[in-house]
Amino acid sequence: MVSFRGDDKRTGLYRNLQFLRSIINTHQQKRKASSSSVILDASVLIQSLKQTLEELNQAVSASLDLIDNDPLPMVVVEEGGEGFVIKVSSQRRCEGLLVFVLEAMEELGLDVLQARVSCVHSFCLEAVIGTQDDEETGRMNAQLVQRAVSQAIQSWKELEN
């Protein structure tokens, strides 16, 4: 028996229509659904799924905005020979943060004796700080410096948002 391409197309279309019926549960109806009603039902189902997907994407986006995936930069202050060693680091660039940290040190009367800063792909500050008067450095402790730098970072974060 010879088959024609038209018959192959018709068979393929029939199979696709049967598959579409099974997806949209048209086969559960009492009467046999026409081809056009199956296609219309499938179209309505696709639009409904698109709408649901868009709503889910918006919900995920809104929930991600609520979650702060970017924690504040980490601060470590250690007492060193000349004063204090401050280390501030973050996984992101933190534009403008250096100014806030330097202003906090200035408010405490601390001088930057030596510093190394990188802001290209991430933020990293390592600084040796002290005061002009060694007696003041002795009275100041690492926790006070850490608290001041942490408050400066918090102020920077509030302005950033």
Side-chain angles (χ1 to χ4, degrees):
M1 185 159 133
V2 178
S3 69
F4 296 99
R5 289 185 184 244
D7 290 341
D8 290 340
K9 269 188 180 178
R10 198 171 306 139
T11 304
L13 287 173
Y14 179 77
R15 286 184 185 150
N16 288 340
L17 189 61
Q18 290 299 96
F19 179 69
L20 199 52
R21 269 194 186 106
S22 69
I23 290 173
I24 61 172
N25 294 324
T26 307
H27 65 279
Q28 293 177 356
Q29 297 176 353
K30 289 182 181 179
R31 62 177 177 76
K32 185 176 179 182
S34 67
S35 299
S36 59
S37 67
V38 170
I39 293 171
L40 183 64
D41 288 347
S43 175
V44 169
L45 178 63
I46 289 170
Q47 290 301 321
S48 172
L49 290 172
K50 282 183 178 179
Q51 179 67 29
T52 303
L53 181 61
E54 187 175 317
E55 290 169 2
L56 287 172
N57 283 336
Q58 288 174 353
V60 166
S61 177
S63 65
L64 288 178
D65 289 342
L66 295 175
I67 299 171
D68 188 7
N69 288 330
D70 185 31
L72 290 175
M74 188 175 71
V75 180
V76 176
V77 179
E78 301 167 344
E79 293 188 30
E82 299 177 43
F84 300 100
V85 177
I86 296 178
K87 297 177 184 177
V88 180
S89 61
S90 176
Q91 296 297 320
R92 60 187 195 99
R93 290 179 47 193
C94 303
E95 289 183 35
L97 178 59
L98 181 60
V99 174
F100 280 82
V101 172
L102 292 175
E103 286 175 350
M105 287 187 246
E106 186 178 0
E107 287 176 11
L108 289 174
L110 299 171
D111 293 327
V112 177
L113 304 174
Q114 181 181 353
R116 183 177 26 203
V117 181
S118 173
C119 306
V120 178
H121 299 291
S122 61
F123 182 87
C124 182
L125 163 69
E126 292 183 23
V128 177
I129 58 172
T131 61
Q132 292 175 346
D133 184 4
D134 289 337
E135 291 177 17
E136 286 184 41
T137 306
R139 284 182 266 156
M140 194 167 302
N141 64 27
Q143 288 179 341
L144 177 65
V145 175
Q146 183 162 353
R147 192 172 324 124
V149 173
S150 295
Q151 287 174 349
I153 291 170
Q154 187 63 44
S155 298
W156 165 81
K157 182 74 172 181
E158 289 170 4
L159 282 179
E160 184 188 46
N161 294 332

